Structures are given as structure tokens and as C-alpha cells.
Amino acid sequence: MVVSNKGVLFKAIPTGHPVIGEHFEVVDRTIDIENFNLEENELLLKNVYISLDPYMRERMREHYIESYIPPFHVGKIMVGDGTSVVIKSTHPQYHEGDIVAGFTGWEEYTHIKENDGDMDVTGRFCLNHAKDSSLSLTHHSFLLRVHGLTAYRGLINFGTPKKGETIYVSAAAGAIGHLVVQMAKIKGLHVIGSAGSDEKVDFLLNTLKIDAAFNYKKVDVNKALSKHCPDGIDIYYDNVGGETLDQVLKHCNRFARVIVCGMISQYNIRNQKEKYGIKNIEQVFMKSMSIIGFLVSDFWSVPNDNFGKDMEEWLDSGKLIYKEETTVGIENAPQAFLNMFAGKNLGKSVVKISDF
Amino acid sequence: MVVSNKGVLFKAIPTGHPVIGEHFEVVDRTIDIENFNLEENELLLKNVYISLDPYMRERMREHYIESYIPPFHVGKIMVGDGTSVVIKSTHPQYHEGDIVAGFTGWEEYTHIKENDGDMDVTGRFCLNHAKDSSLSLTHHSFLLRVHGLTAYRGLINFGTPKKGETIYVSAAAGAIGHLVVQMAKIKGLHVIGSAGSDEKVDFLLNTLKIDAAFNYKKVDVNKALSKHCPDGIDIYYDNVGGETLDQVLKHCNRFARVIVCGMISQYNIRNQKEKYGIKNIEQVFMKSMSIIGFLVSDFWSVPNDNFGKDMEEWLDSGKLIYKEETTVGIENAPQAFLNMFAGKNLGKSVVKISDF
């Protein structure tokens, strides 16, 4: 049974925004599933979803540059967090038909080996419980596993929100932001969000019902913060970095917490000279503030954690909704990836590769 | 009894480094102590010491600029933390001969009133215990009250040092830095310090016996950190901000703590355009780091605090020494203040105004 196995090849290292065809492109390939032989402790996965996340831009770099996540290899298929069905297995832990989450290829079928870096066979998380769930598969594979946890860890564990405080969230209609603003509302905060289109601002105000929202492309961030945060900012959940972060520091209150989840505004700037320099950093000691960075991978679990219980309650009661921007077909993944950096996604960007 | 009461007048707001004669200057005045009348709840103080601290530059600003500490008033005597003897009192809490610490004028005698901002009569801390102490008066008024506590709070309470970790301290021979490096050695850390003269580097290496020290004016900070911190930096105790902070971020390890005590490199830059912009801020989330700012005034006491006990033990055993740069005479205070920004002081800068 020879079937299509289209994939997205990483062709060359971009210096700015990646360009389709130049830095990554779809390649037509096939795979003979019936005659596909596995060595010991290997899997053949049929990929169902892949997650598109801003951090992946960091992987498109020269190998000599150290960073927190390994670089992609030029000439190989791109890698991302995905959800897959096991269609062949020689590993005792996984069986045909199992649903697994973990790093996989941007392709229709992925051969998972032993000792293969972040694609290693041991990095699979079993999602069989999703088969009998009233929630969608992506709720299980992304919201409850990674993105909800990222929002929760940042806000609850590091932000230590107190009822009545003011929080500002940038990229508030994005994958993490739209979850943070809802969690902050649940915790009784005054919630201000910004996003890059009127449609997103409408979503924030009328669907998520946060207290105030503005389109940062249309208004001056500094003035908008003065207007919408008259009592100052106690928590800034930063998804963008750059000039927005710099402006926010001036609006922060004493003992404010800046939670740095990501800095999407800076990811496509590889030239150090062009990076934005934060000039208001002295606000940090003048206001006894903290700037706290974290990677969710460091904090999959913490003691006395209520993440699972809280999410179940919030989803059941309808207090929290999970919004996705779904692109269908692996061949559309490169454009969807670029759309994410252009701020065109509402909620979490996923690519649906196949049915399961 | 008419005596001299020389003082330092704040004449005009500087835009860069203050200039003697233009922005502040010594004025000759007299005071008739015998016939000096106090209203109810007032004091007349004979000032013994004043403390020169970098934060004072922040007070030399326009009144419309908000900050963490009130601005000085043009045309009035400058104000600083000082140690004084009460020579007249109509306040029930203070008596003639008492030694008190708190905000006082840069002058020989200061009239302390009720409801007078940070010079208010209630802001006096009794130091009578210093009369019978084997430690000097400045140990009690500065080391044990403010500067030792600043070093301790930053390092111990916010830095959470663990034996074997590497700490880098900038301005390591300064008022706070020379205490931090010693405390870090006591806590079993690998201690690297930088300073702006060979004399200071010698003091760090041969008197304080830290592990490595360099003159940041003679070597490249980036290269020096690579050389002296081969295992990366776990704690950076920042007294300078600016380019040094930016470089340090690249050398930090995962979960590093940057403790921001001050940013002396930036205090004389009032023009926002000329301020240094921190470009490596994204290291904060890439390395799950925290940048923690604090003002010691927020944390005079904390629960389960060992500051007093630790300092007593460290001073008694000789594990910690307190170094001062003493300038004699209030007329020399302006130059001593400028010397501090030029990095000419070794240890804590104090001005001795009179004997007590």
C-alpha cells in the first residue's frame, strides 16, 4: 500500500521571516506502509495534528548558536509537537491504534526511532483516554497538555494573582493569551488585552468578555495603557517582548510581576543590532518588581497542583473556552506558520493532517 | 552661641552629571543654638555623619517626573540618610544626647519638624546602643541598618544562593558589592567581582579573597565572564545595569537569578534616548530566569529573619569586614558625591561632619 507522505522540508536558515520555497517547502513523497520495516523499539505514526508555535522559529538557526532548544537540521523534515496514531509498533509500550502526543515530523507519516533526540520513541505521551472523551482530541493533546498549562503556570504559579489586581496580556487573542485572559477573569482580576486586529479585539470583548481590549496596530500602546489601566498594572503576561514590554514597565505598580512566556516580536530578528533594547529596565528595582521567565517544559508538574481539577471545572462550567485556528492539510502548514507570525490566527494554530 | 552651619544647597536640576557650583554648592551660614526655638515635637540635630548613596541622583530631578523617591527641592539644603546627636528636643520620644539615624540635611545642624516629608520627626531610629558598642558608630548607622541589610536581602532573600553556585557581582568593591561578595563566600559560592580600578581589584582578590576579579575598564566584560565563569552564572547581583547587565544575561545559566539592587551606570542619563537598551532580555524566558528588583525600604523586616544573628557572627569571627571611604567636612560632600559616580570610593562613602 503505497500512499502519499507529503512533508515540509527545512531547506535553509532564514535571517528574517522565513520564505516558502526558500527556507522551507512542501515535498511530495510516498511511503509503502505495508512493507515498512521497523527495527526494535520503533514506531510508525500516522500524524493527525501538528501544533504551530512561535518558538519553532528559534529552531531555524545556525547550529553554532546556543539556545534553549536544539536547532532544526537543514535538509530534514521539520519537527513539532503533534498528535498521532500508532500504525506499526515494535516498542512494548505502544500498540497499533494508540493515540500518542509528542514531537513528530511535519509530514503525513513519521518513523520514530530510538535515541533520536527530541523525536525519540520515549517522548510519547499516551492519549488513549481522548477516545472516550466528550472533549475534542486537540483539547487533550494541546489545551490540557501544553498550552493550557503554559497559561496556567505563568499566571497562577508565577503571577500569583490577587483578586482586584490589574493584568495586561499582550497577544491576548493568541494560543496562550486567550487562555490567560479567561483564567485571569476567573481569578477576579481586572483584565486588559491587546491584539493586532479589530476582529480579535471584538473576540476579546464580546466572546471572552474581558474588561478592555485594544488593537495595538491602531492606537498608541502607552496611551491605551494609561486609559485602560488607570490604577497601573500588577501583572503583565508578556507574549511579545520588544517595545510593548518597554512601555509596560512604566505602567507597572510596585511589586508588579512581569511573566515572560515568549517574545514573538523578536523571533524573526537574528541580527543583534536590530533587536529592540529595553530602556525602562531600571523600573524593576525602582518598583521592586520581578520579571519572571519560564518554559512550561520545566514545570510539567509542581507540588499541590490544581491544574487538572481547575481546567475540568472551568471547561465543564463553560467559564473557559478553547479557541483554535485549524488549517487542513500538511501542504498548508508553511503558510499557516507564517500567518501566525503575521498575527492572523485567532487562538491556537493547529494543522490537521488526517482524520483519526 | 552662634556657630557655623555650613550646608550643601541644591541649586539647579542637572541633566547629566551634577556640577559643583552649578547644581549644588556649599553655603556658609550660622546658627544661634542657644536661642534656637523649637515648636512642639521638634528637634535640633547636630549631624555627625551623612551617607552618600547613588540613589540620591534620582532625587535631583524635575518635580513632574514620577519616581520611587521624592525629588529634592531647588533652593533647599540636600537631604540624605544621616546619623546625628539630638541637641535640643521638644519631642517626648527624643532627649538631648540621643543618637539618632534617619533623613537629615547635608549641613552641620538640622532643624527637624513635624509632618515634614522624609525629614519628618517620626523618621528617627534610636542608635543609643552604639554608645556602648565595640563597633563604630557607622557600623551601627549604615552597615547594620541599611547597607548590610541591602546586601543581605538581595543575596539571601531574593538570590537564594546554593553552595557551589557561581555569583557575579558588579561594583563589587562598592558600598553594597563588597558586602555581597563576602556574604557569598560565606555561603560557599564561587564569587567573581568586577570593579573600575586595579586598586579595587587588588582589594577584592587580596583583602576579601574572592575567587576572581577584573577591572571592567581594562578588559572586555564578555571575555572576562567567559574566562572566570566557565560554568555560567547562577546569580548576578547587579549594581550597575546597562551594557554589563546585557552581557551577563548571555552568561546566565538556566534558573539564574538577577538581583537588581541599583543601576549606577544609568543614573546620570536623563535623556531617554541615551539610556542603554537591554537586547538580551529574551534570555529571561529561554533560561527560565528571574530578574528581581527590590528596595531595602520595602523589606526592613521579613519573617524568620537571621540578619542580625548572621551579621553578629560574621563580624565577630572576622568573616565579614566593612570598608568605608570617609570624607571629612560637609564642605567636601559635593566632591565626594561626584567621586562616587566616578567610582573613586572603596566601600561605603560617608561624610564625617562632626565628632559626637
Side-chain angles (χ1 to χ4, degrees), chain B residues 176-190:
Chain B
I176 307 297
H178 86 287
L179 302 172
V180 173
V181 296
Q182 294 178 83
M183 291 176 186
K185 281 306 295 174
I186 291 167
K187 290 290 174 183
L189 277 71
H190 185 69

Side-chain angles (χ1 to χ4, degrees), chain A residues 94-114:
Chain A
Y94 309 102
H95 306 93
E96 201 182 311
D98 280 354
I99 303 178
V100 291
F103 280 119
T104 190
W106 287 30
E107 57 193 342
E108 293 173 279
Y109 295 90
T110 297
H111 179 193
I112 298 287
K113 302 169 194 165
E114 273 196 295

Side-chain angles (χ1 to χ4, degrees), chain B residues 264-293:
Chain B
I264 196 171
S265 74
Q266 302 298 298
Y267 296 165
N268 286 299
I269 305 170
R270 302 306 307 181
N271 184 338
Q272 183 71 4
K273 283 188 188 156
E274 290 166 16
K275 294 230 171 209
Y276 185 88
I278 303 291
K279 294 195 168 192
N280 293 312
I281 192 82
E282 65 188 2
Q283 297 291 317
V284 168
F285 80 89
M286 289 182 173
K287 291 172 176 167
S288 300
M289 288 172 53
S290 297
I291 300 179
I292 304 162

Side-chain angles (χ1 to χ4, degrees), chain B residues 172-173 193-208 210 212-220 228 342-346:
Chain B
S194 61
S197 76
D198 292 344
E199 180 200 0
K200 290 179 181 181
V201 168
D202 178 73
F203 169 69
L204 290 168
L205 290 174
N206 299 314
T207 303
L208 303 187
I210 71 173
F214 61 90
N215 180 343
Y216 75 90
K217 290 181 178 168
K218 284 193 171 174
V219 302
D220 179 86
H228 297 301
K344 292 184 182 167
N345 58 305
L346 195 58

